[in-house]
Amino acid sequence: MNHDSFMREAIKLADDGMRSGRGGPFGCVVVRRGEIVGRGSNRVTSTNDPTAHAEVTAIRDACAKLKTFQLTDCELYTSCEPCPMCLSAIYWARIPTVFYGNTRQDAAAIGFDDDFIYQQVPLPPEKRAIRMQPLLRTEALATFQGWAAKPDKVKY
């Protein structure tokens, strides 16, 4: 298989998921060494899970199959430019390359406008539309100190 084949599979997953009523028109595959190791389609509405975007479900699938939480030797093919949440998941999974079909402007044109989130992310917490307030930091820091001192932690 080649780049076009992998993208066509992502697009097929998007189409199948949309037509079956599982969620929005988004699909994704994770590829490792020329083989699809993870598949996902948007399942937000069918699972009542706002994080069940195609990229997240494909990353979860790949990580489960490969028994790892880092996909450093993988590529991701998605039918649409990743939203801020999915982009963050891609960074956390350490996926070095992303191919996408539709742009975020294409998504906005059909009602999936992530621009508000993109605008909110760089703002300081006190300026965001969602109220964010620090609470019990001293107590919370104790757990962080425990992590810092933990000799057998698995770093990620």
Side-chain angles (χ1 to χ4, degrees):
M1 292 183 80
N2 60 31
H3 294 303
D4 291 353
S5 300
F6 296 132
M7 183 57 75
R8 285 189 182 102
E9 179 64 15
I11 293 167
K12 180 183 179 305
L13 288 166
D15 198 56
D16 290 349
M18 179 214 30
R19 291 184 189 285
S20 71
R22 287 191 302 267
F26 305 96
C28 182
V29 295
V30 176
V31 175
R32 181 180 187 219
R33 299 183 195 131
E35 178 186 342
I36 295 175
V37 293
R39 286 180 166 79
S41 63
N42 183 287
R43 295 176 180 267
V44 170
T45 58
S46 63
T47 63
N48 294 314
D49 179 355
T51 68
H53 289 201
E55 296 90 340
V56 172
T57 59
I59 288 169
R60 288 174 180 163
D61 187 41
C63 287
K65 284 181 182 162
L66 298 175
K67 296 180 176 28
T68 184
F69 54 84
Q70 293 190 344
L71 302 173
T72 56
D73 57 349
C74 295
E75 301 168 329
L76 186 138
Y77 295 78
T78 181
S79 64
C80 185
E81 182 178 354
C83 75
M85 177 186 69
C86 293
L87 183 59
S88 296
I90 291 163
Y91 274 104
W92 278 116
R94 309 291 196 266
I95 298 171
T97 306
V98 173
F99 299 93
Y100 62 91
N102 296 306
T103 66
R104 68 192 214 200
Q105 292 80 14
D106 296 330
I110 62 164
F112 294 93
D113 193 354
D114 303 328
D115 195 49
F116 174 72
I117 301 170
Y118 279 105
Q119 291 173 17
Q120 290 286 302
V121 169
L123 295 176
E126 66 275 6
K127 301 276 187 180
R128 293 181 184 151
I130 295 174
R131 181 175 166 220
M132 299 185 72
Q133 182 175 332
L135 184 64
L136 298 177
R137 181 170 178 250
T138 302
E139 291 180 37
L141 278 173
T143 303
F144 274 19
Q145 291 162 350
W147 174 261
K150 186 174 171 46
D152 61 341
K153 65 183 163 227
V154 177
K155 293 182 180 181
Y156 61 97

